[in-house]
């Protein structure tokens, strides 16, 4: 019997799994994935409810009609994931993950937490990030466009550029010296 031959799994631990190809119609509840790789695979019609991924590789995963509900990702490599194609629910916590080149566009990420993550060149276009927390994150070349950043917290993050004219910044929290980057798109001279 191979890995993931059942339609559903509950309270299972999967360690050092290397999955290739498609994973279709499988439901996971309260499962733990450790040191596993789903790199470049397609997740179709799956659900991951209350699942935890630790030191796993989900880079270039193609997500189709798959939901992640109360998922936790810790120290995972997740380069080039288009979360906006989830087609279901996404509620997740990201801790010390590499989320470079991820797409979070057209999503509601209210109250999401990103802790000590690299989000270089990630895209947040038309994204609702109200009360989101970016704690100790690297946001180099990250794109925020038409995003609602009301009450979001960037006080401990770095390398961000947020155009105040093209995003909603209501009571958004920043700290110096990084907050000076908010002035970059203005035609002003600071001495």
């Amino acid at each position: 019997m191979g890995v993931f031959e059942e339609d559903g799994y509950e309270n299972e631990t999967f360690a050092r799994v290397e999955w290739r190809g498609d994973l279709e119609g499988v439901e996971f509840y309260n499962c733990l994935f450790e040191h596993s790789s789903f790199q470049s695979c397609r997740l179709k019609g799956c659900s991951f409810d209350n699942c935890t991924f630790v030191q796993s590789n989900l880079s270039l995963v193609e997500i189709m009609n798959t939901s992640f509900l109360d998922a936790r990702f810790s120290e995972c490599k997740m380069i080039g994931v288009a979360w906006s194609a989830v087609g279901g629910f996404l509620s997740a916590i990201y801790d010390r993950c590499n989320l470079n080149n991820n797409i979070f566009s057209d999503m509601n990420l209210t109250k999401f937490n990103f802790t000590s993550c690299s989000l270089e060149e990630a895209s947040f276009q038309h994204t609702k990030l109200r009360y989101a927390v970016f704690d100790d994150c690297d946001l180099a070349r990250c794109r925020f466009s038409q995003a609602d950043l009301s009450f979001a917290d960037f006080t401990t993050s770095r390398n961000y550029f947020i155009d105040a004219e093209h995003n909603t910044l209501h009571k958004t929290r920043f700290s110096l010296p990084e907050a000076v980057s908010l002035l970059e798109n203005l035609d002003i001279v600071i001495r």
Side-chain angles (χ1 to χ4, degrees):
M1 179 187 249
V3 178
F4 309 137
E5 289 185 356
E6 305 286 324
D7 290 338
Y9 297 90
E10 186 172 345
N11 300 318
E12 297 278 342
T13 297
F14 300 98
R16 303 200 185 287
V17 171
E18 281 211 30
W19 188 260
R20 300 278 184 233
D22 294 353
L23 184 60
E24 189 167 357
V26 182
E27 296 180 3
F28 298 93
Y29 176 76
N30 200 36
C31 291
L32 172 63
F33 300 88
E34 294 179 299
H35 304 283
S36 295
S37 178
F38 295 88
Q39 183 173 349
S40 300
C41 83
R42 275 191 238 157
L43 303 176
K44 296 186 200 176
C46 295
S47 68
F48 296 88
D49 189 357
N50 200 41
C51 291
T52 302
F53 296 81
V54 178
Q55 294 182 342
S56 294
N57 185 355
L58 289 93
S59 294
L60 302 173
V61 165
E62 187 177 342
I63 301 170
M64 303 163 65
N65 297 316
T66 292
S67 64
F68 291 85
L69 188 59
D70 295 323
R72 288 175 287 299
F73 299 94
S74 180
E75 298 182 72
C76 291
K77 182 178 177 184
M78 303 160 71
I79 297 171
V81 177
W83 293 101
S84 49
V86 165
F89 296 102
L90 173 65
S91 63
I93 294 173
Y94 301 94
D95 180 36
R96 296 168 285 157
C97 293
N98 182 339
L99 297 163
N100 294 346
N101 294 295
N102 277 221
I103 300 172
F104 295 98
S105 297
D106 300 304
M107 299 182 75
N108 183 351
L109 302 180
T110 298
K111 297 184 180 179
F112 263 58
N113 287 308
F114 300 89
T115 304
S116 299
C117 293
S118 178
L119 286 148
E120 291 183 19
E121 298 186 28
S123 178
F124 293 94
Q125 296 181 347
H126 303 282
T127 306
K128 185 182 261 187
L129 287 158
R130 295 174 63 86
Y131 298 97
V133 176
F134 293 87
D135 181 20
D136 186 37
C137 292
D138 186 354
L139 301 168
R141 298 172 306 285
C142 192
R143 293 174 301 284
F144 294 93
S145 177
Q146 303 300 316
D148 183 355
L149 302 170
S150 299
F151 306 99
D153 188 344
F154 293 88
T155 54
T156 60
S157 287
R158 61 201 170 282
N159 299 323
Y160 53 79
F161 169 74
I162 299 172
D163 185 343
E165 292 179 17
H166 295 100
N167 293 286
T168 303
L169 302 177
H170 176 72
K171 304 222 184 245
T172 308
R173 299 179 63 202
F174 300 100
S175 62
L176 291 173
E178 292 293 329
V180 174
S181 70
L182 297 170
L183 304 173
E184 285 183 27
N185 68 314
L186 301 176
D187 189 20
I188 63 174
V189 176
I190 299 175
R191 295 183 189 251

